Amino acid sequence: MGGGKHTEESGFGTQDKAIARLMEVYNQKKAMPRSQSKAERIQKYGRMRFEEYVEEWKAGQRHLAVSSLRHLDSLLEHHLYPALGSRRMNSFDHKVVDGFIRTMERNGVGVATQSNAFDKLRAVLLDAHRLGIFSDNPLDGVKPPQYDRLGR
């Protein structure tokens, strides 16, 4: 069935087989718009650079206070964009995230800042994962920076 034209199938031996076929066709039609829109999202957002995606993501963060937005912008400007800004969204995996953390360690970035930058990266990548950009969560298996707020 396509393009509004009806086709006829015949040759079902039993009513149960005919009903099963009708259910199959129904389920295919029902699933198509969702899977098509998911494919369109993957195509659109997957090709976006990280920086472009984050700017769109950030616009949806209506709950952030002014000071939180300033903190986010600082982390983006000084840590996330220099390391990941030009990377395509569909190229993220656990190795990229792990590499980002190791780069911050190598550059002597404080553990608190590492932890904050990782939290922001995690929020963005989880949003992209929910959209379906990644088949596997790029955060799976990544050990986040460990910041002990009490200094123990």
Side-chain angles (χ1 to χ4, degrees), residues 4-117:
K5 296 181 181 179
H6 295 278
T7 60
E8 188 174 308
E9 293 184 22
S10 62
F12 295 106
T14 66
Q15 187 176 4
D16 288 341
K17 288 182 181 177
I19 290 171
R21 176 64 182 139
L22 283 172
M23 288 304 296
E24 181 184 328
V25 170
Y26 170 78
N27 288 332
Q28 286 174 347
K29 283 185 78 174
K30 185 178 167 189
M32 188 178 291
R34 246 186 254 134
S35 61
Q36 184 177 355
S37 64
K38 181 179 178 180
E40 289 168 357
R41 281 195 315 268
I42 291 170
Q43 184 177 13
K44 175 185 176 184
Y45 293 112
R47 286 191 281 174
M48 266 188 182
R49 290 180 306 112
F50 178 75
E51 188 171 355
E52 294 170 310
Y53 186 89
V54 169
E55 291 305 313
E56 223 176 271
W57 171 82
K58 200 169 75 168
Q61 304 303 302
R62 298 180 310 276
H63 63 283
L64 290 180
V66 173
S67 60
S68 297
L69 269 175
R70 272 197 303 266
H71 184 245
L72 172 61
D73 287 338
S74 176
L75 289 169
L76 291 170
E77 178 185 343
H78 298 290
H79 303 286
L80 292 159
Y81 287 166
L84 305 168
S86 62
R87 177 173 282 282
R88 299 278 177 211
M89 287 302 295
N90 60 8
S91 70
F92 277 88
D93 61 18
H94 70 283
K95 293 276 190 198
V96 172
V97 177
D98 232 16
F100 172 66
I101 295 167
R102 282 195 316 276
T103 298
M104 286 192 296
E105 291 169 346
R106 242 188 342 267
N107 291 340
V109 174
V111 181
T113 302
Q114 288 179 37
S115 183
N116 286 324

